[in-house]
Amino acid sequence: MLKLDIDQVRGLLASGHPLPRLAALFVAGKTTLPEMSELRSAFGRHDPEGTVTEISGALT
């Protein structure tokens, strides 16, 4: 499981580095449902064979 805040997740996605497959991603702090949906799509673009089934965090 990887635990990051929303800014760290955005930085990771913007880094251009290949992302490891994750069993779970926990977004610390508050975020919105549209942001979480965007993250799910972004991880899918990085790993088309992988599937994000759950992203957890505090939704506002």
Side-chain angles (χ1 to χ4, degrees):
M1 181 176 107
L2 182 62
K3 184 175 181 179
L4 302 171
D5 66 31
I6 191 75
D7 292 329
Q8 291 172 312
V9 174
R10 286 188 182 128
L12 178 64
L13 291 170
S15 72
H17 292 42
L19 300 177
R21 287 198 172 178
L22 300 172
L25 171 64
F26 182 90
V27 179
K30 293 185 178 180
T31 188
T32 65
L33 186 56
E35 286 174 318
M36 296 301 268
S37 181
E38 178 187 332
L39 292 179
R40 182 181 180 140
S41 295
F43 274 94
R45 286 190 297 273
H46 281 274
D47 184 10
E49 294 179 13
T51 302
V52 177
T53 57
E54 182 176 343
I55 297 177
S56 298
L59 297 177
T60 59

